[in-house]
Amino acid sequence: LRTQLDLYVDGPSGGHAASSVDYPWSQGTAVMGILNVTPDSFHDGGEHHDPDDAVERAREMVAAGVDIIDVGGESTRPGAEPVSVEEEIDRIVPVLEAITSLDALVSVDTRKAAVAEAALDAGADIINDVTGLDDPEMRFLVAERDVPVVVMHSIDAPVDPDNVVEYDDVVGDVIAELTETVLRAESAGIPRENVIVDPGIGFGKRAAESFELLDRVDEFHALGCPVLVGHSHKSMYGLVDRDSGERGPATVAATALAADRGADIVRVHDVPENVAAVRVAHTMRNAGDELP
Ligand SMILES: Nc1nc2ncc(COP(=O)(O)OP(=O)(O)O)nc2c(=O)[nH]1
């Protein structure tokens, strides 16, 4: 896949990389492993802050069957310490340079165009923008580099428990707002086949609404784009499995259900378990073709 990508990026035609490459999500649900190179991410903050630890973790993810590694240098958690462009670049570029030779695509989770540009220059393949391309500079960069971009739905106000949005129909409302996002991307010269939509699980949504977004994930295909869900270890599970407080097993169950309902990419922390969940969901639908 990486050769294919390089060919289309550097090949004679210098053609459209994203629209001509057979991405992992076109063959079933792809697994995106979260690699936060931050001291304060909500679930794994500090665990891979050291570049060597991060590279080791990336190798483990690849060995476990991950399709994409999502590298983040700034937490999106409400109240997280803002990070300068320089600091975010310092955090992620050494890791990106070390992992882009591994057998997985690499995405960069950033809201800053300057960081995204440095990441693409360091070999990243995909931009993951939780603001949904709010920044015109980011739209210009993504169009110019012709790379896939994840556009996540969020709310305009800061994402914290006090900002609860009143949705009539959370799925219909989020699809309507993501439609605007996709049209804005297209008007900036980003072809729709490069856009991956994401309902923004937990970003300004109540727990019940986050579960509904997962349950009705297939409806997001009305936008004509692959659909990514980022449900891993999020607070909604705390209301389901109250006793243990453990969110890992609940995440894996949700991954299997979301994959079965049509999610194209699942963004998760625990790769082996969630790769297994995706494979089970796929096999249950295709046992006749896959198993003796
Ligand atoms: N596309 C997309 N990107 C995301 N980035 C961060 C988080 C928050 O999770 P995490 O990266 O684990 O935490 P933090 O932002 O604190 O690093 N969630 C999403 C998501 O749901 N979708």
Side-chain angles (χ1 to χ4, degrees), residues 32 34 36 38 40-44 70 72 74-77 80 109 128-130 150-152 198 200-203 228-234 267 269:
M32 175 187 271
I34 299 168
N36 287 318
T38 63
D40 60 348
S41 285
F42 87 90
H43 172 63
D44 57 354
D70 190 38
E74 179 185 42
S75 171
T76 64
R77 188 173 46 77
D109 184 355
N128 175 16
D129 181 356
V130 297
V150 180
V151 293
M152 192 193 82
D198 174 348
I201 302 285
F203 285 83
L228 179 148
V229 289
H231 56 299
S232 187
H233 284 269
K234 289 199 172 166
R267 181 177 180 276
H269 297 89

Side-chain angles (χ1 to χ4, degrees), residues 175-261:
I175 287 175
E177 291 177 23
L178 279 175
T179 301
E180 295 305 311
T181 301
V182 174
L183 293 174
R184 185 175 63 176
E186 285 183 317
S187 60
I190 301 170
R192 187 169 294 214
E193 64 260 29
N194 286 8
V195 179
I196 299 163
V197 294
D198 174 348
I201 302 285
F203 285 83
K205 286 91 176 179
R206 292 187 179 83
E209 290 164 339
S210 288
F211 277 110
E212 187 171 356
L213 288 166
L214 278 176
D215 181 39
R216 295 169 58 189
V217 62
D218 194 36
E219 294 178 40
F220 284 83
H221 286 122
L223 290 160
C225 305
V227 186
L228 179 148
V229 289
H231 56 299
S232 187
H233 284 269
K234 289 199 172 166
S235 58
M236 61 211 254
Y237 299 121
L239 299 172
V240 171
D241 191 351
R242 293 175 195 274
D243 305 335
S244 72
E246 256 298 296
R247 299 178 181 179
T251 298
V252 173
T255 291
L257 292 168
D260 184 54
R261 285 163 165 75

